[in-house]
């Protein structure tokens, strides 16, 4: 896709060209060129895996900022449920929500509240007659982009429901306008407190395509310290939380699925596992389930790279936090039988399947046989010294660039030592 | 008309955990040829089932995928026990898989029927004690 704006970026000064990220990028989007990493914008899915792996902190996630929210008269925070898992000994979500108001927000709307509606929509959707099952959750934008890139045949299985964050943004704006008729719509700003760069890119690229109502995306790690100082135990606090176990559960892997209640489901987390599962779905090799939850991050959203806590600790904290919550605090109005039309999106992000090699099938076939020939010449150790993640990828790079000969330092060294 | 492209894979019968790998590689190559996603899905299911059969029933074998501009042909060749009654084996639900295989989720007797369903042509040559060759063709036009 042309001009995709990525949250995940390289800090050139810090990059040593060490090849660590090269080996771990799930879509082989990285090459080392002139001693520095370079990300192929068409292939990058903003999963943040390279941020996790880089030993020199040379990969970073860019996002919006709290200062940018100053442009709005009325500021609403949308905390992701994974935010609640960042704090030690938190026994009441209200401390976090009150903290958000103290650091400058006029109102708080929990994404977990919207998630409870999305869970109910999903349950109804699965039971609709004529739906091709299983459906794949649309909640993780990284997974959606991955499917469009590498698993285009599964693109239609993605459930066309907006993710909770967008449903929350819409509900929050509507509620604020009703409560404050003096405000104009454009004076109300909605700020998502996000665990991941994936959501940053989702908002900055698809605002128009999906008619998104989110105005700003700020990392959890940016508000964390502000919140720590603002959250005071002694003070009397307002009771603000409006979500239960189901909504809060969305923060970790399996939470979204358990909210589907009696339907058979499959939940996988961590980008490599997700890819494995998608391959199996394509091969028709999965148990008969109706719902598939895929989270790019290990442990689910609590494992996003913009969080501060280790995902396993977060998961355990969430468990104790959820223990005394009601199952759910949000349901569709009594008697309402249909999922509201505005919960759906019509078209999915632009179809961007892996680029075909040549301009025609015949040309692609010729190029593929060149790739095979080059690959067979290469040592097959996938060392990364040429700047590509694997020998196969190097062969492909050469052929795509119109070349005929490999440019492999290992081969050259061998030829030298053999005196050729 | 360009030369047919041939992808060759050795399917290791001793390592059960690697079963299904060849179909992942094939899928990737077909995508780069720009084939229709639905065709790729059919090839990968047919290939996957055949690959698993070779691992489960025949201690491995070889897979060749031959791509021309008109069709993708999959040839799966093994030196396993052969199939005694092909007609029976083709029936849905017929399986000789042991219970330990079944506990892994295989042995529903759906593999061969699926291979037939997802390919346009399928041919099985088999001889007891010698081996089995399955050929499947998926047309592109
Ligand atoms: N390559 C082969 N060599 C020997 N026997 C085979 C081979 N492929 C299939 N068979 C025989 O044919 C039967 C039916 O195969 P089929 O793939 O339909 O079912 P299955 O492998 O038993 O179960 P499933 O494919 O559902 O996991 C097998 O149980 C086996 O007896
Ligand atoms: S964010 Fe993910 S897809 Fe993008 S370059 Fe990093 S590892 Fe690759
Ligand atoms: S799993 Fe959650 S945190 Fe991670 S990329 Fe997907 S939506 Fe973002
Ligand atoms: Mg089988």
């Amino acid at each position: 896709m042309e001009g995709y704006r990525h949250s995940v970026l390289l800090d050139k000064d810090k990059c040593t060209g060490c090849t660590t990220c090269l080996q771990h990028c799930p879509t082989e989007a990285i090459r080392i060129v002139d001693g520095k990493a370079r990300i192929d914008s068409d292939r990058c899915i903003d999963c943040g895996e390279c941020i996790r792996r880089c030993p020199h902190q040379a990969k970073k996630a860019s996002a919006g900022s709290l200062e940018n929210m100053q442009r709005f008269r009325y500021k609403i925070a949308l905390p992701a449920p994974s935010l609640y898992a960042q704090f030690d000994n938190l026994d009441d979500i209200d401390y976090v929500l009150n903290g958000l108001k103290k650091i400058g927000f006029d109102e708080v709307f929990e994404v977990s509240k919207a998630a409870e509606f999305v869970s109910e929509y999903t349950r109804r959707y699965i039971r609709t007659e004529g739906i091709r099952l299983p459906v794949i959750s649309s909640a993780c934008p990284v997974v959606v982009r991955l499917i469009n890139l590498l698993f285009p045949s599964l693109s239609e299985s993605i459930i066309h429901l907006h993710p909770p964050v967008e449903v929350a943004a819409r509900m929050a704006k509507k509620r604020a306008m009703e409560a404050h008729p003096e405000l104009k719509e454009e004076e109300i700003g909605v700020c998502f407190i996000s665990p991941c760069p994936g959501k940053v890119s989702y908002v900055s690229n698809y605002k128009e395509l999906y008619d998104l109502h989110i105005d700003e995306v700020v990392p959890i790690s940016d508000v964390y310290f502000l919140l720590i100082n603002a959250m005071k135990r002694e003070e009397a606090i307002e009771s603000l939380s409006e979500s239960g176990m189901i909504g809060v559960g969305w923060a970790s892997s399996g939470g979204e699925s358990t909210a589907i209640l009696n339907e058979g489901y499959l939940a996988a987390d961590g980008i490599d596992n997700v890819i494995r599962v998608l391959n199996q779905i394509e091969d028709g090799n999965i148990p008969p389930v109706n719902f598939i939850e895929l989270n790019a991050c290990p442990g689910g959203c609590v494992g996003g790279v913009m969080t501060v806590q280790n995902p396993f600790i977060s998961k355990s904290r969430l468990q104790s936090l959820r223990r005394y919550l009601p199952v759910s605090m949000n349901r569709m109005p009594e008697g309402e039988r249909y999922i509201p039309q505005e919960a759906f999106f019509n078209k999915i992000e632009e179809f961007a399947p892996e680029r075909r090699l040549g301009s025609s099938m015949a040309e692609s076939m010729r190029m593929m046989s060149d790739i095979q020939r080059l690959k067979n010449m290469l040592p097959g150790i996938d060392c990364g010294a040429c700047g590509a993640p694997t020998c196969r990828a190097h062969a492909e790079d050469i052929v795509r660039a119109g070349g005929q000969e490999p440019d492999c330092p290992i081969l050259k060294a061998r030829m030298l030592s053999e005196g050729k | 008309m360009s030369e047919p492209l041939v992808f060759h894979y050795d399917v290791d019968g001793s390592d059960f955990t690697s079963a299904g790998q060849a179909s992942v590689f094939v899928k990737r190559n077909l995508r780069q040829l720009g084939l229709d996603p639905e065709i790729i899905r059919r090839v990968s299911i047919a290939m996957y089932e055949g690959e698993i059969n070779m691992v489960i029933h025949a201690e491995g074998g070889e897979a060749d995928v031959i791509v021309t501009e008109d069709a993708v042909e999959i040839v799966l060749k093994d030196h396993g026990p052969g199939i005694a009654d092909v007609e029976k084996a083709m029936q849905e639900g017929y399986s000789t898989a042991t219970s330990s295989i079944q506990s892994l989720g295989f042995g529903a007797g759906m593999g061969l029927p699926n291979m037939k369903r997802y390919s346009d042509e399928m041919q099985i040559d088999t001889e007891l004690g010698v081996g089995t060759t399955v050929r499947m063709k998926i047309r592109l036009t």
Side-chain angles (χ1 to χ4, degrees):
Chain A
M1 192 189 289
E2 283 274 293
Y4 193 90
R5 287 181 298 278
H6 288 280
S7 166
V8 175
L9 300 171
L10 177 78
D11 184 340
K12 251 198 163 166
D13 296 337
K14 288 189 182 158
C15 175
T16 64
C18 71
T19 76
T20 307
C21 60
L22 196 67
Q23 316 284 353
H24 290 287
C25 171
T27 62
E28 297 190 348
I30 305 174
R31 297 291 182 275
I32 309 291
V33 183
D34 299 331
K36 303 280 176 189
R38 180 182 290 171
I39 304 176
D40 178 350
S41 174
D42 286 345
R43 297 192 69 89
C44 173
I45 55 174
D46 291 296
C47 64
E49 203 57 28
C50 52
I51 299 181
R52 260 181 213 110
R53 305 284 186 164
C54 177
H56 310 286
Q57 284 79 45
K59 288 276 175 37
K60 54 185 184 194
S62 63
S65 69
L66 290 175
E67 293 80 73
N68 290 349
M69 282 302 286
Q70 295 308 330
R71 68 186 194 273
F72 298 104
R73 210 173 123 200
Y74 194 80
K75 306 168 196 62
I76 308 176
L78 302 188
S82 43
L83 173 67
Y84 311 151
Q86 307 304 311
F87 306 97
D88 212 10
N89 292 323
L90 180 75
D91 50 13
D92 193 337
I93 291 170
D94 279 333
Y95 285 107
V96 181
L97 306 183
N98 279 267
L100 285 167
K101 286 183 89 169
K102 266 195 240 159
I103 66 171
F105 287 99
D106 298 292
E107 192 181 323
V108 182
F109 195 107
E110 296 174 87
V111 173
S112 48
K113 177 180 171 75
E116 298 193 332
F117 286 105
V118 176
S119 287
E120 186 169 357
Y121 300 158
T122 307
R123 288 197 293 275
R124 290 191 187 217
Y125 183 81
I126 290 172
R127 286 189 218 120
T128 314
E129 225 162 295
I131 295 291
R132 186 169 112 182
L133 295 170
V135 292
I136 302 174
S137 165
S138 60
C140 176
V142 173
V143 169
V144 173
R145 198 165 156 79
L146 173 73
I147 290 176
N148 286 333
L149 180 70
L150 295 183
F151 302 92
S153 78
L154 299 177
S155 181
E156 278 309 306
S157 298
I158 297 169
I159 187 164
H160 280 35
L161 281 174
H162 286 297
V165 58
E166 170 58 16
V167 174
R170 289 173 186 222
M171 289 180 163
K173 278 196 173 161
K174 200 165 160 208
R175 183 163 87 179
M177 296 216 309
E178 280 163 13
H180 303 278
E182 76 281 6
L183 291 173
K184 293 205 221 59
E185 185 168 358
E186 59 275 16
E187 291 176 321
I188 304 173
V190 162
C191 175
F192 176 47
I193 320 281
S194 173
C196 67
K199 291 278 199 227
V200 176
S201 300
Y202 162 74
V203 174
S204 58
N205 291 283
Y206 298 129
K207 193 138 172 96
E208 266 152 52
L209 178 71
Y210 295 135
D211 184 27
L212 301 181
H213 291 56
I214 306 152
D215 297 297
E216 196 71 26
V217 183
V218 173
I220 285 183
S221 50
D222 279 11
V223 295
Y224 176 74
F225 289 104
L226 293 174
L227 276 178
I228 288 270
N229 294 324
M231 287 162 54
K232 293 269 172 329
R233 267 195 161 281
E234 320 69 68
E235 285 170 28
I237 52 169
E238 228 183 310
S239 135
L240 296 171
S241 180
E242 303 172 80
S243 56
M245 285 173 74
I246 286 188
V248 174
W250 274 65
S252 47
S253 169
E256 187 187 349
S257 292
T258 41
I260 300 304
L261 304 178
N262 297 321
E263 309 283 345
Y265 71 83
L266 183 164
D269 58 290
I271 194 76
D272 291 340
N273 295 327
V274 166
I275 291 176
R276 237 172 269 147
V277 167
L278 288 169
N279 267 311
Q280 289 199 213
I281 301 174
E282 256 192 348
D283 293 344
N285 175 33
I286 53 157
V289 296
N290 290 342
F291 182 75
I292 297 171
E293 170 191 338
L294 301 172
N295 290 110
C297 297
C301 296
V302 287
V305 292
M306 288 174 164
T307 61
V308 290
Q309 223 352 307
N310 165 323
F312 301 98
I313 300 209
S314 296
K315 212 168 177 163
S316 128
R317 283 184 184 158
L318 269 186
Q319 261 156 18
S320 37
L321 199 55
R322 285 174 68 203
R323 173 164 297 150
Y324 300 109
L325 294 181
V327 173
S328 174
M329 286 173 72
N330 301 280
R331 49 191 63 84
M332 285 165 68
E334 197 78 45
E336 192 128 343
R337 291 180 45 232
Y338 298 104
I339 305 168
Q341 199 50 47
E342 56 174 29
F344 291 100
F345 50 84
N346 305 323
K347 45 178 188 292
I348 204 138
E349 75 183 61
E350 198 165 310
F351 196 53
E354 193 163 32
R355 281 171 303 161
R356 195 222 306 253
L357 291 169
S359 55
S360 67
M361 168 99 177
E363 192 189 1
S364 303
M365 285 175 63
R366 269 192 305 278
M367 290 170 77
M368 183 74 76
S369 81
D370 284 344
I371 292 175
Q372 284 189 293
R373 182 178 57 80
L374 289 193
K375 188 189 144 209
N376 292 335
M377 293 166 69
L378 293 168
I381 53 176
D382 298 341
C383 64
C386 62
T390 61
C391 297
R392 162 73 172 69
H394 178 62
E396 184 183 327
D397 289 349
I398 297 283
V399 172
R400 277 193 196 271
Q404 291 292 327
E405 292 306 317
D407 185 13
C408 165
I410 308 292
L411 270 192
K412 279 185 201 147
R414 278 193 198 160
M415 292 214 278
L416 266 180
S417 70
E418 284 163 19
K420 285 191 209 160
Chain B
M1 190 89 211
S2 46
E3 285 277 292
L5 258 179
V6 182
F7 305 115
H8 179 83
Y9 305 95
D10 290 316
V11 177
D12 185 353
S14 62
D15 181 8
F16 193 78
T17 56
S18 72
Q21 283 290 335
S23 97
V24 171
F25 290 125
V26 167
K27 212 183 319 189
R28 163 157 197 199
N29 285 336
L30 296 187
R31 270 189 219 124
Q32 293 193 329
L33 295 177
L35 295 191
D36 178 66
E38 193 51 35
I39 297 270
I40 296 175
R41 197 175 83 92
R42 287 170 56 200
V43 172
S44 77
I45 294 181
M47 172 93 188
Y48 177 85
E49 293 286 7
E51 204 187 330
I52 297 283
N53 276 358
M54 288 202 294
V55 175
I56 293 181
H57 307 297
E59 290 168 25
E62 289 167 46
D64 283 293
V65 178
I66 303 138
V67 186
T68 63
E69 280 183 70
D70 310 314
V72 178
E73 195 180 355
I74 304 167
V75 181
L76 302 151
K77 190 170 180 187
D78 67 57
H79 302 288
I83 304 174
D85 185 340
V86 174
E87 209 175 303
K88 222 177 185 173
M90 287 300 300
Q91 285 170 12
E92 290 193 6
Y94 176 82
S95 174
T96 59
T98 58
S99 57
S100 66
I101 295 287
Q102 280 170 352
S103 65
L104 285 164
F106 298 103
M110 288 306 293
L112 289 171
N114 276 337
M115 287 154 76
K116 186 157 179 70
R117 180 170 314 132
Y118 289 108
S119 57
D120 294 307
E121 286 167 36
M122 174 162 140
Q123 188 194 332
I124 302 178
D125 295 306
T126 183
E127 199 179 327
L128 287 181
V130 178
T132 303
T133 301
V134 181
R135 290 167 205 277
M136 290 175 281
K137 200 175 211 169
I138 288 141
R139 281 193 289 271
L140 302 179
T141 42

